[in-house]
Amino acid sequence: MKKLESIFVTLNGWALIVMLAAMSLVVGANILLRYTTAHSLPWADEAARYLMIWMTFSGAGLVLRTGGHVAITNLQDALPVKGQQILRGAITLGLLLFFCFMVYVGMQYAQRMQYQVTPAMRIPFIYVYAAMPVGFTLLIVHLLLIARPFITAGEYKHGDTNALPGSANG
Protein backbone atom coordinates (compact mmCIF):
# COMPACT_ATOMS: atom_id res chain seq x y z
CA MET A 1 0.00 0.00 0.00
CA LYS A 2 2.86 2.41 0.80
CA LYS A 3 4.32 1.77 -2.66
CA LEU A 4 0.99 2.62 -4.35
CA GLU A 5 0.68 5.74 -2.22
CA SER A 6 4.20 6.81 -3.19
CA ILE A 7 3.44 6.22 -6.88
CA PHE A 8 0.17 8.18 -6.57
CA VAL A 9 1.90 11.14 -4.88
CA THR A 10 4.75 11.09 -7.41
CA LEU A 11 2.37 11.01 -10.39
CA ASN A 12 0.31 13.84 -8.91
CA GLY A 13 3.50 15.87 -8.45
CA TRP A 14 4.71 15.18 -11.97
CA ALA A 15 1.33 16.18 -13.42
CA LEU A 16 1.69 19.54 -11.68
CA ILE A 17 5.23 19.95 -12.99
CA VAL A 18 4.08 19.21 -16.55
CA MET A 19 1.21 21.71 -16.27
CA LEU A 20 3.50 24.40 -14.83
CA ALA A 21 6.07 23.77 -17.56
CA ALA A 22 3.40 23.95 -20.27
CA MET A 23 2.02 27.17 -18.82
CA SER A 24 5.50 28.67 -18.60
CA LEU A 25 6.31 27.70 -22.19
CA VAL A 26 3.05 29.12 -23.55
CA VAL A 27 3.39 32.41 -21.68
CA GLY A 28 7.12 32.65 -22.48
CA ALA A 29 6.54 31.97 -26.17
CA ASN A 30 3.77 34.55 -26.24
CA ILE A 31 6.00 37.19 -24.66
CA LEU A 32 8.86 36.36 -27.02
CA LEU A 33 6.60 36.55 -30.08
CA ARG A 34 4.96 39.76 -28.91
CA TYR A 35 8.28 41.57 -28.51
CA THR A 36 10.13 40.08 -31.49
CA THR A 37 7.37 39.96 -34.11
CA ALA A 38 4.72 42.34 -32.71
CA HIS A 39 2.24 39.45 -32.89
CA SER A 40 1.08 37.24 -30.07
CA LEU A 41 -0.66 33.92 -29.80
CA PRO A 42 -4.41 34.59 -29.53
CA TRP A 43 -4.95 31.52 -27.36
CA ALA A 44 -1.98 31.87 -24.98
CA ASP A 45 -3.74 33.77 -22.18
CA GLU A 46 -6.67 31.37 -22.28
CA ALA A 47 -4.43 28.30 -22.20
CA ALA A 48 -2.42 29.70 -19.29
CA ARG A 49 -5.63 30.50 -17.38
CA TYR A 50 -7.02 26.98 -17.83
CA LEU A 51 -3.70 25.37 -16.90
CA MET A 52 -3.66 27.50 -13.74
CA ILE A 53 -7.18 26.28 -12.88
CA TRP A 54 -6.10 22.66 -13.37
CA MET A 55 -2.92 23.19 -11.31
CA THR A 56 -4.91 24.73 -8.46
CA PHE A 57 -7.40 21.89 -8.19
CA SER A 58 -4.85 19.14 -8.87
CA GLY A 59 -2.34 20.46 -6.36
CA ALA A 60 -4.74 21.01 -3.46
CA GLY A 61 -4.44 17.38 -2.37
CA LEU A 62 -0.66 17.54 -2.16
CA VAL A 63 -0.93 20.68 -0.05
CA LEU A 64 -3.49 18.93 2.18
CA ARG A 65 -1.03 16.07 2.80
CA THR A 66 1.53 18.42 4.32
CA GLY A 67 -0.88 20.61 6.30
CA GLY A 68 -0.28 23.56 4.01
CA HIS A 69 -3.87 24.83 3.99
CA VAL A 70 -4.94 27.49 6.46
CA ALA A 71 -5.79 26.10 9.89
CA ILE A 72 -6.77 27.63 13.20
CA THR A 73 -5.79 25.25 16.01
CA ASN A 74 -6.76 27.22 19.13
CA LEU A 75 -9.67 24.93 20.03
CA GLN A 76 -7.70 21.78 19.28
CA ASP A 77 -4.75 22.94 21.36
CA ALA A 78 -7.04 23.66 24.32
CA LEU A 79 -8.50 20.13 24.36
CA PRO A 80 -7.06 17.02 26.02
CA VAL A 81 -5.53 14.37 23.72
CA LYS A 82 -8.76 12.35 23.36
CA GLY A 83 -10.73 15.52 22.62
CA GLN A 84 -8.19 16.50 19.99
CA GLN A 85 -8.57 13.12 18.31
CA ILE A 86 -12.37 13.41 18.30
CA LEU A 87 -12.17 16.93 16.88
CA ARG A 88 -9.70 15.86 14.16
CA GLY A 89 -11.97 12.91 13.33
CA ALA A 90 -14.95 15.26 12.99
CA ILE A 91 -12.89 17.62 10.83
CA THR A 92 -11.81 14.73 8.61
CA LEU A 93 -15.39 13.51 8.24
CA GLY A 94 -16.59 17.04 7.49
CA LEU A 95 -13.89 17.48 4.86
CA LEU A 96 -14.72 14.12 3.31
CA LEU A 97 -18.41 15.00 3.06
CA PHE A 98 -17.60 18.44 1.63
CA PHE A 99 -15.18 17.00 -0.93
CA CYS A 100 -17.76 14.39 -2.02
CA PHE A 101 -20.39 17.12 -2.37
CA MET A 102 -18.00 19.21 -4.46
CA VAL A 103 -17.27 16.26 -6.76
CA TYR A 104 -21.02 15.94 -7.33
CA VAL A 105 -21.50 19.68 -7.91
CA GLY A 106 -18.43 19.85 -10.13
CA MET A 107 -19.67 16.99 -12.31
CA GLN A 108 -23.05 18.67 -12.70
CA TYR A 109 -21.46 21.99 -13.57
CA ALA A 110 -19.05 20.42 -16.07
CA GLN A 111 -21.88 18.55 -17.76
CA ARG A 112 -23.89 21.76 -18.09
CA MET A 113 -20.94 23.40 -19.83
CA GLN A 114 -20.20 20.57 -22.26
CA TYR A 115 -21.79 22.26 -25.28
CA GLN A 116 -20.11 25.63 -24.86
CA VAL A 117 -16.64 26.16 -26.27
CA THR A 118 -13.83 28.42 -25.14
CA PRO A 119 -13.50 31.69 -27.08
CA ALA A 120 -9.95 31.34 -28.43
CA MET A 121 -9.06 27.64 -28.38
CA ARG A 122 -12.58 26.42 -29.25
CA ILE A 123 -12.41 23.42 -26.90
CA PRO A 124 -15.51 22.35 -24.96
CA PHE A 125 -15.70 23.94 -21.52
CA ILE A 126 -16.28 20.49 -20.01
CA TYR A 127 -12.51 19.98 -20.19
CA VAL A 128 -11.90 23.16 -18.25
CA TYR A 129 -14.59 22.56 -15.63
CA ALA A 130 -13.61 18.91 -15.21
CA ALA A 131 -10.75 20.25 -13.08
CA MET A 132 -13.18 20.68 -10.20
CA PRO A 133 -14.44 17.10 -9.83
CA VAL A 134 -11.00 15.69 -10.67
CA GLY A 135 -9.32 17.95 -8.11
CA PHE A 136 -11.81 17.14 -5.37
CA THR A 137 -11.51 13.43 -6.15
CA LEU A 138 -7.76 13.77 -5.67
CA LEU A 139 -8.44 15.59 -2.40
CA ILE A 140 -10.60 12.66 -1.26
CA VAL A 141 -7.85 10.16 -2.04
CA HIS A 142 -5.17 12.26 -0.33
CA LEU A 143 -7.42 12.79 2.71
CA LEU A 144 -8.12 9.07 3.05
CA LEU A 145 -4.41 8.31 2.80
CA ILE A 146 -3.47 10.72 5.60
CA ALA A 147 -6.59 10.37 7.77
CA ARG A 148 -5.32 7.81 10.28
CA PRO A 149 -2.07 9.52 11.31
CA PHE A 150 -3.82 12.90 11.28
CA ILE A 151 -6.69 11.78 13.51
CA THR A 152 -4.60 9.76 15.95
CA ALA A 153 -1.56 12.01 16.31
CA GLY A 154 -2.30 15.21 14.41
CA GLU A 155 0.54 14.37 12.03
CA TYR A 156 0.76 15.25 8.39
CA LYS A 157 2.71 13.33 5.78
CA HIS A 158 5.70 15.67 5.86
CA GLY A 159 7.96 12.76 4.85
CA ASP A 160 6.06 12.29 1.59
CA THR A 161 7.33 15.59 0.25
CA ASN A 162 10.67 13.86 -0.34
CA ALA A 163 8.96 11.60 -2.85
CA LEU A 164 7.75 14.53 -4.92
CA PRO A 165 9.46 15.18 -8.24
CA GLY A 166 12.16 17.78 -8.01
CA SER A 167 12.80 17.22 -4.30
CA ALA A 168 16.17 16.14 -2.94
CA ASN A 169 15.13 12.49 -2.79
CA GLY A 170 12.54 12.48 -5.63
Side-chain angles (χ1 to χ4, degrees):
M1 185 65 175
K2 289 286 185 192
K3 180 75 170 166
L4 287 175
E5 182 178 358
S6 178
I7 291 169
F8 172 68
V9 170
T10 301
L11 288 175
N12 195 176
W14 274 109
L16 291 172
I17 288 170
V18 168
M19 286 186 267
L20 180 61
M23 187 176 77
S24 300
L25 287 172
V26 167
V27 171
N30 195 36
I31 291 168
L32 183 69
L33 286 171
R34 186 179 310 136
Y35 287 106
T36 58
T37 67
H39 294 88
S40 61
L41 303 169
W43 50 267
D45 293 338
E46 191 174 283
R49 182 179 320 120
Y50 299 149
L51 283 166
M52 179 70 75
I53 290 167
W54 269 92
M55 284 189 319
T56 300
F57 281 106
S58 301
L62 290 174
V63 175
L64 179 75
R65 295 182 74 80
T66 60
H69 291 288
V70 174
I72 300 172
T73 61
N74 294 358
L75 175 61
Q76 175 185 297
D77 296 342
L79 294 174
V81 174
K82 190 65 176 170
Q84 290 179 2
Q85 291 174 342
I86 291 169
L87 179 61
R88 287 191 299 264
I91 289 170
T92 302
L93 180 61
L95 286 173
L96 186 61
L97 292 172
F98 175 71
F99 295 163
C100 289
F101 175 72
M102 292 307 291
V103 168
Y104 173 74
V105 169
M107 287 173 52
Q108 284 186 325
Y109 196 65
Q111 287 173 345
R112 270 189 248 133
M113 300 302 290
Q114 69 183 334
Y115 300 113
Q116 292 185 9
V117 294
T118 62
M121 296 189 311
R122 310 299 298 167
I123 60 170
F125 266 112
I126 191 170
Y127 298 119
V128 176
Y129 290 107
M132 187 174 169
V134 168
F136 277 102
T137 300
L138 290 171
L139 272 162
I140 290 169
V141 174
H142 284 291
L143 179 64
L144 292 174
L145 289 170
I146 68 163
R148 185 178 195 147
F150 172 69
I151 293 169
T152 58
E155 294 176 358
Y156 292 98
K157 296 278 190 161
H158 291 292
D160 280 355
T161 57
N162 291 335
L164 294 176
S167 66
N169 298 336

